[in-house]
Amino acid sequence: MKVKTSRRRFSTSKKNLERIKTLYETQAVSKSQLEQAEATYLQAETNLKVAQDAAEKANSNVGIASSESAVQQAKVGVEQAQHAIADSKITAPIAGQVVAINTEKGEMAGPQSPVAQIVNANQVTVQLNVSETSLQSFKLGQQVKVNVSSLNQTFPGEVTFIAPSANAQTLTFAIEVVIKNEQQQIKPGMLAEVTLIKDAKQQIVVPTQAILGNGGQTYVYIIQNGKAVKRPVKVSEMATEETTIAEGLSEKDTVIIKGQYALTEGTPIEIVKEEGKSS
């Protein structure tokens, strides 16, 4: 029975070798793969002969243990031949388009040398860096608008990643926004502009020059009873000209936007009307 099994496995090894030879003739596999398959076949042939001899000895109650070992060796030989055939085929882990082939026929490939580069652009990722002040405006899962100027189109996007720490060199935080791209309109490498979708509720906006900071605290100066009062605020969004305040101010507050750098708490304030402008 063991000889019959060994013979069947040897037959499989032989067929595998013939298949490798056919692939080699069409340059689908390298010469080294062919040589490996041939060596495996010869080893399987030798193991089969050993198994047959061992079986004959077993019939005479001699060498039973040796026969089992020989059959096991034949099995290993068949498995090696099967692995050689399997290694001759390359299957991509994802669906997509091949954008680069990094090897030639007959070259050895390995994990450190990818054979090809495949891109799946059904969804693309926008990478941006924001300051610590603007970071407060982003939340995971948040919906944003992404404008691709080269396409003159705006696409909906979702914030999928917010860096837990700032870049040591730029002191900015990395953010990733994912966009569905089923029509393949957006190409990798295109430039995009991300715009936040603001809440419908009314917001307090002040000139950015009015925002001051000290020791991690953000504040402005307002006028109360003719004196400067320091008012801590929470910023939701800051731009070059205007800053949106999330907490700390009301519509009735008068914010000081000139001379605020020299003020201290309780400094008397006099409102001066500039020429050509109304107060």
Side-chain angles (χ1 to χ4, degrees):
M1 183 65 182
K2 293 180 179 179
V3 173
K4 184 182 295 185
T5 301
S6 181
R7 184 178 294 109
R8 183 174 63 251
R9 290 172 178 171
F10 167 75
S11 177
T12 301
S13 177
K14 183 178 180 181
K15 290 179 180 179
N16 289 339
L17 175 59
E18 291 173 352
R19 184 178 178 184
I20 288 289
K21 286 182 177 179
T22 301
L23 291 173
Y24 178 73
E25 290 173 357
T26 60
Q27 297 185 342
V29 298
S30 65
K31 185 176 180 180
S32 62
Q33 289 174 302
L34 174 61
E35 291 174 346
Q36 181 181 354
E38 288 175 341
T40 303
Y41 167 77
L42 293 175
Q43 182 62 48
E45 183 181 43
T46 300
N47 290 342
L48 177 58
K49 292 179 180 180
V50 172
Q52 290 173 333
D53 292 339
E56 293 178 359
K57 292 180 180 179
N59 290 335
S60 60
N61 297 324
V62 177
I64 295 177
S66 176
S67 177
E68 292 178 347
S69 176
V71 171
Q72 183 62 30
Q73 290 178 359
K75 180 180 178 181
V76 171
V78 172
E79 291 176 351
Q80 290 176 343
Q82 291 174 336
H83 284 308
I85 293 175
D87 290 342
S88 67
K89 296 181 180 180
I90 300 175
T91 303
I94 62 171
Q97 296 179 326
V98 177
V99 297
I101 296 178
N102 305 320
T103 188
E104 300 291 338
K105 292 180 180 180
E107 291 184 349
M108 297 296 293
Q112 304 303 321
S113 302
V115 173
Q117 181 180 353
I118 298 176
V119 172
N120 185 336
N122 287 335
Q123 70 175 27
V124 293
T125 301
V126 180
Q127 297 178 328
L128 60 149
N129 297 290
V130 301
S131 66
E132 60 179 306
T133 302
S134 298
L135 183 67
Q136 303 175 48
S137 303
F138 291 87
K139 301 290 185 296
L140 287 176
Q142 180 180 1
Q143 300 300 306
V144 297
K145 295 180 180 179
V146 181
N147 177 259
V148 182
S149 58
S150 60
L151 299 177
N152 194 28
Q153 280 188 263
T154 298
F155 302 87
E158 179 182 347
V159 177
T160 58
F161 173 77
I162 299 176
S165 60
N167 182 288
Q169 296 181 337
T170 64
L171 300 181
T172 57
F173 292 80
I175 291 179
E176 292 184 358
V177 175
V178 169
I179 312 170
K180 291 184 179 179
N181 188 37
E182 296 175 353
Q183 302 300 319
Q184 306 288 309
Q185 293 174 281
I186 307 173
K187 307 299 181 184
M190 285 184 170
L191 298 179
E193 182 180 76
V194 176
T195 303
L196 298 177
I197 302 174
K198 296 183 179 180
D199 296 333
K201 65 180 181 181
Q202 189 174 11
Q203 296 177 312
I204 303 296
V205 178
V206 300
T208 298
Q209 65 185 36
I211 305 298
L212 302 174
N214 182 22
Q217 183 186 51
T218 302
Y219 60 92
V220 298
Y221 277 107
I222 64 172
I223 300 175
Q224 284 186 349
N225 300 323
K227 295 182 179 181
V229 175
K230 183 178 179 180
R231 176 70 62 80
V233 295
K234 182 178 179 180
V235 174
S236 63
E237 183 178 354
M238 177 177 285
T240 304
E241 299 295 332
E242 295 182 335
T243 294
T244 302
I245 304 299
E247 297 178 6
L249 290 178
S250 69
E251 296 178 355
K252 297 180 180 180
D253 290 326
T254 301
V255 178
I256 301 174
I257 62 173
K258 287 189 176 180
Q260 66 274 23
Y261 296 101
L263 293 176
T264 58
E265 183 81 13
T267 300
I269 299 297
E270 179 182 358
I271 301 177
V272 178
K273 182 171 67 175
E274 297 183 13
E275 294 184 4
K277 296 184 179 180
S278 58
S279 57

